[in-house]
Amino acid sequence: MKVLGLFLPVLFLLATPAMAVEYQGKNIDGKKLDAKAYYSQTGGVYNVQVRFKRDRATIYFADGSQTTIRLKQRVITDPNDIEGFGKLGQVPLNRIFSVGLDLDNNVVGNGQQSDSLSLGNFFWRISLKQR
């Protein structure tokens, strides 16, 4: 119990407060915006809607599916170049770990992962549509 009592305060000190995603100095968290999303794993560009929350973006596809990615930056300077990382079907927990189903086909015949599983292969570029 003493260890828990010492560990929790340290954990709270290490946790940084989550800040909202900003564009032109304004908080855009929670707003669903029309966009195009490029996914490096498939090479596809998709018409989507995106909702920002803290350092994440949830991408909503026309077929009703969605995925959440971790944004490279919280402050958006160019609405046509918003970068993030994440795999389809995965929800990022932090900079290293994510949970969910592996919807990307990166497993070769004998169940081993292919060599192409670097973070760069799960790169997204979001471009907000102008209103």
Side-chain angles (χ1 to χ4, degrees), residues 20-34:
V21 174
E22 293 180 15
Y23 176 60
Q24 295 180 337
K26 296 178 184 172
N27 175 347
I28 61 170
D29 271 10
K31 297 176 182 163
K32 206 177 219 185
L33 305 169
D34 291 328

Side-chain angles (χ1 to χ4, degrees), residues 20-83:
V21 174
E22 293 180 15
Y23 176 60
Q24 295 180 337
K26 296 178 184 172
N27 175 347
I28 61 170
D29 271 10
K31 297 176 182 163
K32 206 177 219 185
L33 305 169
D34 291 328
K36 288 191 178 282
Y38 163 78
Y39 185 39
S40 64
Q41 184 70 15
T42 63
V45 177
Y46 307 94
N47 287 316
V48 298
Q49 289 187 313
V50 62
R51 180 175 290 157
F52 298 100
K53 184 174 181 183
R54 298 183 181 130
D55 62 344
R56 308 273 193 256
T58 301
I59 300 170
Y60 299 90
F61 297 92
D63 68 358
S65 63
Q66 67 187 53
T67 193
T68 300
I69 64 171
R70 183 179 47 83
L71 297 173
K72 184 176 177 182
Q73 296 179 335
R74 169 184 79 71
V75 177
I76 297 170
T77 55
D78 182 354
N80 294 312
D81 189 19
I82 304 167
E83 297 178 354

Side-chain angles (χ1 to χ4, degrees), residues 86-104:
K87 292 173 65 175
L88 287 174
Q90 298 278 315
V91 175
L93 296 176
N94 58 30
R95 293 191 171 274
I96 299 171
F97 298 106
S98 62
V99 296
L101 300 174
D102 188 0
L103 299 179
D104 292 315

